[in-house]
Amino acid sequence: MKIVNSKHFFHLCFLSFLFFTCKASQNQSSSSSIISRFQEYLQINTAHPNPRYYEAADFILSQAESLSLESQTIEFVENKPLVLLKWPGKDPKLPAVLLSSHTDVVPVESHKWTHPPFAAHIDSDGNIYARGSQDMKSVGMQYLEAIRKLKDSGFEPTRTIYLSYVPDEEIGGRDGAEKLVESDVFQKMNVAFVLDEGMPSADDKYRAYYADRSPMWLVIKATGAPGHGARLYDNTAMENLLKSIESIRRFRASEFDMLKAGLKTTGEVISVNLVFLKSGTQTPAGFVMNLQPSEAEAGIDIRVPPTVDQDAFERRIAEEWAPASRNMTYEFKEKFSTLDIFGKPAVTIADSSNPWWVLLEEAVLNAGGKLEKPDIFRGATDASFFRQRGFPAVGFSPIANTPGLAHDHNEFLNQQEYLKGIEIYAAIIKAFASYAEQTESKASKYEL
Ligand SMILES: [Zn+2]
């Protein structure tokens, strides 16, 4: 064995150091490592009612560390960690951009899935099957991968970028995004614009959302005198409830007709769906057949777009759907205002007058994506909490050519679509982080 002199030895060491670090960094950025990191996040079971929030938080923190991002974990509510990451901009005076995502997912019926929902199995077509692959662990990881790409290219942000990984979106967000937006921490972040989740599209155009419909979860209750099942008499609870249901059904049909005729989008109509009917007198042997019950109840999931006058709508409920004259009462299990704290409709302007919208649109197009005209999200997302406090927020998930399977069995995302989404986010984040304008005409209302 030949002994190398010390100088040679140093050179050898240095070269092998370079080789291995370079190789390690290449490996980190290879498509297979990008996909396996996504699988790792998907494999953490964060389904309600027992989401493994700490595992998800640890995973995100480890990713942040590998990217040298600043991080903090906040528990606004015990056992519900929220991870906040920061990529500091060169000009700390510029307000920041927040990339929002939630770590929780909805429950699964495992036996109805082709592949186990937390295995993140990849089939021969490259489809990754997992709960959260569309809603929205994809987005949460894509933000980070986009930042990895930008860092690898030597890009440095001018404006600060924050990333939030919040709990509980799927159960209403009260202990997650709402706590964040109400906090001192959020005040100090000085956020000018929020990007949150959207929805997949089946065609080749991405969707972006400038508002959410507000849930009004209504329970109407009728009471009436009980009586023999063979007797005909007025004002039975059932009869009173059915009159309301008939009126609700007609309203639903008229909204649905507008949707079917293409006069309104799914986000623009008021959707009204019966979700439960409850009545009857039960014994261990089953329902009593010869007794008309004294109470009957119905639950209705109503979603209204921000253009709806909620007070007028509630008057309609009180007069037509639950009139006291028919012995009826009503209550809301959830009622989310369509207005922000300034009394204006909680919408984000999505046209050329909003520079953030322009930056988003241009970045998507420049990265080779197509964008459908902006719409109202049919459900509610965490973006509502930001808009309600006057912060502009757009919902966007870069998932095209994919059936929307959020909350459904066999939720999946193709790995090529996932990788393309990272390119889209890299373009968006670069555009936002480079945007150095402090003031512009019309810009003040966007808190630039
Ligand atoms: Zn979601």
Side-chain angles (χ1 to χ4, degrees):
M1 184 182 163
K2 201 178 156 198
I3 310 280
V4 288
N5 71 34
S6 62
K7 201 176 160 195
H8 265 119
F9 183 71
F10 174 77
H11 275 274
L12 267 178
C13 282
F14 186 66
L15 282 173
S16 54
F17 170 77
L18 273 182
F19 177 74
F20 284 116
T21 22
C22 193
K23 210 169 164 206
S25 143
Q26 260 174 14
N27 280 345
Q28 285 281 301
S29 309
S30 72
S31 297
S32 63
S33 354
I34 291 172
I35 298 298
S36 65
R37 281 192 291 271
F38 181 32
Q39 285 176 295
E40 213 182 316
Y41 189 27
L42 292 170
Q43 283 160 358
I44 303 168
N45 184 340
T46 51
H48 291 284
N50 296 306
R52 293 189 190 162
Y53 279 144
Y54 288 109
E55 274 179 52
D58 286 346
F59 175 74
I60 296 298
L61 289 170
S62 72
Q63 295 303 310
E65 201 182 316
S66 77
L67 289 165
S68 310
L69 299 174
E70 293 176 20
S71 64
Q72 59 174 316
T73 309
I74 311 164
E75 283 192 38
F76 292 114
V77 176
E78 207 182 341
N79 296 325
K80 296 185 177 184
L82 181 157
V83 177
L84 194 61
L85 308 180
K86 181 182 182 182
W87 191 16
K90 284 179 284 188
D91 187 349
K93 289 193 295 297
L94 289 172
V97 169
L98 171 64
L99 308 175
S100 161
S101 72
H102 60 83
T103 55
D104 59 324
V105 297
V106 287
V108 287
E109 291 175 80
S110 295
H111 59 284
K112 295 189 178 160
W113 285 58
T114 312
H115 305 288
F118 295 100
H121 172 82
I122 305 180
D123 75 3
S124 55
D125 295 326
N127 295 328
I128 308 166
Y129 285 85
R131 174 61 86 224
S133 55
Q134 297 184 6
D135 180 14
M136 63 175 297
K137 284 178 170 165
S138 48
V139 169
M141 274 312 284
Q142 281 169 318
Y143 291 153
L144 289 167
E145 299 296 351
I147 289 175
R148 189 186 307 277
K149 247 178 204 311
L150 293 172
K151 284 201 161 210
D152 284 352
S153 74
F155 175 78
E156 287 177 27
T158 304
R159 193 182 287 272
T160 295
I161 302 288
Y162 282 100
L163 298 91
S164 59
Y165 293 82
V166 308
D168 277 15
E169 192 274 348
E170 297 293 2
I171 53 168
R174 300 281 185 200
D175 289 348
E178 189 174 42
K179 288 278 185 298
L180 174 66
V181 72
E182 284 172 346
S183 69
D184 292 343
V185 178
F186 188 74
Q187 281 288 317
K188 289 196 190 101
M189 284 159 64
N190 189 19
V191 169
F193 183 78
V194 180
L195 199 59
D196 193 32
E197 67 184 313
M199 256 194 296
S201 64
D203 59 29
D204 63 347
K205 285 181 180 163
Y206 296 125
R207 301 294 191 269
Y209 301 92
Y210 62 91
D212 286 358
R213 290 194 307 177
S214 298
M216 293 174 81
W217 292 346
L218 176 71
V219 174
I220 55 174
K221 190 170 175 181
T223 51
H228 198 287
R231 232 186 98 208
L232 283 170
Y233 58 96
D234 282 324
N235 278 322
T236 72
M238 280 290 202
E239 191 64 12
N240 284 339
L241 184 73
L242 284 174
K243 282 178 186 165
S244 296
I245 287 173
E246 182 50 31
S247 170
I248 291 167
R249 202 201 60 76
R250 274 198 305 272
F251 179 82
R252 181 185 187 274
S254 68
E255 289 292 310
F256 201 6
D257 282 347
M258 282 191 276
L259 179 64
K260 285 174 183 164
L263 298 172
K264 285 186 177 180
T265 66
T266 47
E268 288 165 348
V269 288
I270 300 176
S271 65
V272 175
N273 287 306
L274 268 179
V275 290
F276 74 79
L277 284 169
K278 199 166 101 185
S279 190
T281 308
Q282 255 186 310
T283 69
F287 283 104
V288 180
M289 290 301 294
N290 59 354
L291 172 63
Q292 299 188 53
S294 62
E295 288 183 3
E297 240 179 88
I300 305 126
D301 182 338
I302 306 169
R303 307 290 175 124
V304 300
T307 43
V308 165
D309 178 342
Q310 266 173 315
D311 292 339
F313 192 75
E314 192 170 338
R315 278 197 296 279
R316 172 183 215 135
I317 290 170
E319 285 162 18
E320 294 177 30
W321 296 0
S325 59
R326 279 209 307 269
N327 292 332
M328 294 192 64
T329 55
Y330 70 92
E331 65 168 316
F332 289 107
K333 292 288 176 193
E334 176 74 88
K335 187 184 163 194
F336 215 89
S337 174
T338 55
L339 303 178
D340 66 19
I341 52 170
F342 307 108
K344 304 238 174 66
V347 301
T348 296
I349 294 167
D351 64 25
S352 59
S353 70
N354 178 355
W356 296 108
W357 173 256
V358 176
L359 288 169
L360 176 74
E361 199 174 31
E362 283 175 0
V364 171
L365 297 180
N366 291 342
K370 293 179 193 164
L371 201 53
E372 187 57 88
K373 83 173 177 29
D375 199 358
I376 298 167
F377 199 90
R378 69 173 180 211
T381 64
D382 280 341
S384 295
F385 294 116
F386 298 103
R387 291 192 199 106
Q388 281 219 315
R389 279 155 190 83
F391 295 96
V394 167
F396 173 79
S397 298
I399 306 175
N401 304 307
T402 304
L405 292 167
H407 301 207
D408 204 340
H409 309 312
N410 296 317
E411 182 180 350
F412 75 87
L413 180 57
N414 190 275
Q415 43 183 350
Q416 292 312 320
E417 196 59 32
Y418 178 74
L419 293 171
K420 190 176 165 197
I422 294 168
E423 301 296 332
I424 301 283
Y425 275 130
I428 295 171
I429 296 169
K430 190 174 181 179
F432 285 170
S434 309
Y435 191 55
E437 292 294 321
Q438 250 319 337
T439 50
E440 260 182 2
S441 59
K442 287 189 186 174
S444 59
K445 69 179 179 191
Y446 300 107
E447 302 186 33
L448 289 167

